[in-house]
């Protein structure tokens, strides 16, 4: 679903959304500003920035406000997020295109919009505030809800299908690989025993079963024992890591020279993928000791952050969801050979 090319959103007169605090907002604006200020060459050309994970539209709104000449393409797989952010960004509808798409579909989206290169791409990964706060979506172990966990509730398998149909070994694999759960097999066996009695349909019951399966000594540290299981199921349902593996290289490929990509991840599995892609594109595989890098073999990217950056203590105090963020950024310095 697309809301036009650079067209408006129908219900611009709707009431504004509740205040939403974007993570590392000022740092994202700072990193993207040089690319958006310069823009593409040509009198009529205007820079394009992609918010690949639109969510509630907080980062996009700030970018549009800070750069009155910029066009924005906003992607989100969640139709409700698109609807809400569309209302939030209604004042900028003449220079926004909001698209119902997963972020690895970026090349197809840009092709449909007739855009060959962009000056900025922003990723704010993981589950959004909207999805966490809506109990009915089933993302949170703190509130009882149906076991859904789909970021796009119009398609794909649900968490209920996963926990009720996967074999014990497959469940354990998901929990171990995507949740880094030490007690993956114990939890998987407990879920299989439970579903033989009755299908698992409740997030509260799932959280309770995980808690019971984890040794008592472990429950006393590290937060809620179901946290890793819920993360693993969410990643499996939404194929998040596979999507990210395709999306970051696609974003780099879409950048014009001088364009910048900023990625915020919230767990180590995401951050490893981002680090690997950006590091590979910012280094050259040449014998040591060469006095100069041969022409055409220079790196495509220049890293803008030293490792990954975290939120300050002040920001975490004001916005607890920033506690686990890891930010990486890079600038494209040459075209591919």
């Amino acid at each position: 679903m697309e809301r036009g090319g650079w067209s408006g959103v129908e219900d611009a007169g709707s009431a504004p959304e509740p205040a939403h605090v974007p993570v590392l907002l000022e740092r994202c604006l700072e990193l993207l500003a040089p690319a958006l200020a310069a823009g593409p060459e040509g009198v009529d050309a205007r820079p394009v920035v992609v918010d690949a994970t639109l969510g509630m539209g907080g980062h996009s709104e700030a970018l549009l406000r800070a750069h009155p000449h910029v066009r924005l393409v906003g992607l989100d797989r969640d139709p409700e997020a698109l609807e809400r952010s569309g209302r939030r960004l209604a004042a900028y509808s003449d220079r926004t295109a909001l698209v119902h798409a997963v972020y690895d579909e970026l090349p197809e989206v840009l092709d449909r919009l007739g855009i060959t290169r962009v000056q900025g791409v922003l990723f704010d990964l993981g589950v959004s505030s909207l999805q966490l706060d809506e109990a009915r979506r089933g993302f949170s172990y703190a509130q009882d809800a149906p076991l859904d966990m789909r970021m796009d509730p119009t398609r794909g398998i649900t968490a209920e299908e996963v926990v009720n149909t996967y074999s014990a070994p497959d469940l354990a694999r998901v929990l171990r690989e995507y949740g880094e759960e030490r007690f993956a097999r114990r939890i998987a066996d407990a879920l299989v025993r439970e579903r033989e009695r009755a299908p698992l349909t409740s997030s509260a019951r799932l959280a309770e079963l995980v808690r019971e399966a984890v040794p008592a000594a472990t429950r006393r540290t590290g937060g809620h024992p179901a946290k890793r299981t819920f993360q693993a199921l969410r990643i499996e349902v939404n194929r998040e890591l596979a999507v990210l593996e395709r999306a970051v290289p696609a974003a780099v490929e879409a950048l014009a020279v001088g364009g910048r990509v900023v990625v915020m991840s919230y767990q180590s599995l995401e951050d490893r993928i981002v680090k690997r892609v950006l590091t590979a594109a910012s280094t050259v595989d040449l014998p040591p000791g060469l006095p100069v890098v041969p022409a055409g073999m220079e790196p495509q990217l220049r890293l803008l952050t030293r490792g990954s950056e975290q939120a300050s203590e002040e920001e975490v105090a004001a916005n607890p969801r920033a506690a686990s963020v890891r930010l990486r950024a890079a600038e494209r310095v040459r075209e591919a050979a």
Side-chain angles (χ1 to χ4, degrees), residues 255 259-262 278 301-304 328-332:
L255 288 176
R260 294 183 167 199
V261 59
V262 177
L278 298 188
L301 296 181
R302 175 175 68 91
L303 298 181
L304 300 173
R328 296 182 187 270
E331 178 182 14
R332 185 153 191 173

Side-chain angles (χ1 to χ4, degrees), residues 218-239:
T218 304
R219 297 179 210 153
R220 291 191 282 269
T221 60
H224 198 293
K227 177 180 179 180
R228 290 177 294 275
T229 293
F230 273 66
Q231 172 184 297
L233 292 174
R234 190 199 82 219
I235 290 173
E236 173 70 8
V237 165
N238 296 288
R239 303 291 191 260

Side-chain angles (χ1 to χ4, degrees), residues 36-51:
L36 301 183
E41 296 180 359
V43 176
D44 297 324
R46 289 191 294 168
V48 176
V49 61
V50 177
D51 188 340

Side-chain angles (χ1 to χ4, degrees), residues 33 35-40 45-48 63-72 95:
L36 301 183
R46 289 191 294 168
V48 176
L63 286 164
L64 289 163
R65 186 188 300 120
H67 301 282
H69 59 302
V70 160
R71 298 181 294 168
L72 179 130
R95 52 194 181 99

Side-chain angles (χ1 to χ4, degrees), residues 169-246:
D170 279 344
L171 277 174
R173 173 190 55 79
V174 168
L175 301 184
R176 188 181 306 110
E177 291 182 6
Y178 299 155
E180 300 179 292
E181 173 57 70
R182 283 189 299 155
F183 305 105
R185 189 55 194 252
R186 288 178 62 150
I187 294 169
D189 288 342
L191 299 185
V192 170
R193 286 195 300 270
E194 174 70 10
R195 77 191 192 195
E196 289 173 351
R197 186 185 65 82
L200 276 164
T201 60
S202 157
S203 61
R205 180 57 179 150
L206 174 61
E208 181 184 7
L209 287 167
V210 174
R211 186 180 183 281
E212 292 171 353
V214 170
T218 304
R219 297 179 210 153
R220 291 191 282 269
T221 60
H224 198 293
K227 177 180 179 180
R228 290 177 294 275
T229 293
F230 273 66
Q231 172 184 297
L233 292 174
R234 190 199 82 219
I235 290 173
E236 173 70 8
V237 165
N238 296 288
R239 303 291 191 260
E240 291 175 49
L241 298 185
V243 168
L244 188 61
E245 292 268 15
R246 297 187 292 270

Side-chain angles (χ1 to χ4, degrees), residues 25-33 36 48-52 54 57-73 89 92 95 120-122 262:
L25 177 61
E26 294 305 320
R27 183 58 172 148
C28 291
L29 292 175
E30 177 188 17
L31 285 165
L32 290 168
L36 301 183
V48 176
V49 61
V50 177
D51 188 340
L54 185 63
H59 290 99
S60 286
E61 182 181 37
L63 286 164
L64 289 163
R65 186 188 300 120
H67 301 282
H69 59 302
V70 160
R71 298 181 294 168
L72 179 130
V73 178
L89 303 177
Y92 307 99
R95 52 194 181 99
V121 183
L122 174 66
V262 177

